[in-house]
Amino acid sequence: MRVLEFFNIDLSLSELKRQLSYDHETGIFTRLIAMCNKVRVGDIAGGVQNSGYVTLRVLGKPYLAHRLAWYYFYGEIPFGVIDHINGNKLDNRICNLRVATRSENTRNSKTRVKKYTRFRGLSVRRNKRGVYWRVNIKLNRKNIYLGMFYDELEAYKVYLTKANELFGEYMHESLRSDYTKYIINKET
């Protein structure tokens, strides 16, 4: 099964609503029709895949639950990527979903743990004077060099300031809380 199959929604809205009920406050789909002996009316539809997303089958075809939630609630097939605002792939409440470009969705991804630094956007380098941190940020598949710093926290502050400027509302919530902690609270 290819990933693109999950993105295509070739299902009418009336058929979707005939098959499933969606609770926009919990983000959960439930079955309205018993498909076989194992599936009963009222059962929670779908399951978590290896990717971490909830998928469910309607008329034998797999769909990503967050894309169906958008379609179910707004009545239109989403163009582009549906982003989970809080970063939790299992949270399909409509208030946690928004349409985004792939680039915006990537900006809202979690920080990868690195060997020498716990901060996103930093890489460690060594020279004769010691260890320093190189700061880069990626925007539209291009690396933007922000400088070199001998203090890791100062380097991270530079990254956070630029991330806030470039990413705005699409900045991941862990970065947003760090921005508040290290930048905003230090200015007051």
Side-chain angles (χ1 to χ4, degrees):
M1 178 180 335
R2 294 185 350 218
V3 174
L4 282 177
E5 290 178 10
F6 288 118
F7 281 77
N8 295 332
I9 298 176
D10 56 354
L11 180 68
S12 72
L13 185 58
S14 59
E15 183 62 29
L16 174 63
K17 289 186 175 188
R18 191 176 78 79
Q19 296 278 329
L20 300 168
S21 174
Y22 170 68
D23 182 346
H24 70 277
E25 291 181 3
T26 63
I28 295 173
F29 281 94
T30 52
R31 298 277 176 194
L32 295 175
I33 296 176
M35 302 302 291
C36 62
N37 292 337
K38 291 181 181 179
V39 179
R40 297 188 191 121
V41 173
D43 282 356
I44 293 176
V48 181
Q49 300 302 308
N50 291 339
S51 63
Y53 290 103
V54 175
T55 61
L56 46 98
R57 289 188 172 272
V58 180
L59 300 175
K61 288 190 172 185
Y63 296 98
L64 291 166
H66 58 282
R67 294 187 66 77
L68 283 184
W70 189 271
Y71 183 37
Y72 194 101
F73 191 79
Y74 291 110
E76 58 186 37
I77 296 172
F79 181 76
V81 177
I82 297 296
D83 181 35
H84 290 85
I85 296 169
N86 67 6
N88 181 351
K89 296 175 183 180
L90 302 177
D91 186 355
N92 291 315
R93 293 173 298 136
I94 202 67
C95 66
N96 186 46
L97 303 176
R98 63 182 168 196
V99 175
T101 64
R102 284 193 187 277
S103 181
E104 289 166 337
N105 191 40
T106 302
R107 293 176 202 157
N108 190 27
S109 63
K110 293 180 183 173
T111 302
R112 312 295 191 273
V113 177
K114 296 180 181 177
K115 188 174 180 181
Y116 297 107
T117 181
R118 65 181 189 264
F119 297 128
R120 185 180 203 159
L122 306 187
S123 57
V124 70
R125 300 283 194 258
R126 298 180 194 287
N127 65 12
K128 293 176 185 174
R129 295 193 307 188
V131 174
Y132 65 92
W133 281 265
R134 181 183 167 116
V135 184
N136 288 299
I137 196 164
K138 213 174 222 183
L139 180 65
N140 298 329
R141 292 188 229 156
K142 291 186 180 176
N143 266 328
I144 301 170
Y145 172 73
L146 301 177
M148 294 185 301
F149 301 85
Y150 286 97
D151 181 80
E152 184 180 19
L153 191 55
E154 284 304 313
Y156 188 51
K157 287 178 183 179
V158 169
Y159 177 85
L160 289 172
T161 302
K162 193 65 171 179
N164 186 56
E165 177 187 320
L166 295 175
F167 304 158
E169 70 174 297
Y170 289 94
M171 187 163 70
H172 191 270
E173 65 181 31
S174 66
L175 290 178
R176 193 177 332 281
S177 66
D178 282 354
Y179 182 77
T180 302
K181 179 178 173 183
Y182 294 122
I183 307 298
I184 295 174
N185 289 342
K186 298 299 179 191
E187 290 175 356
T188 56

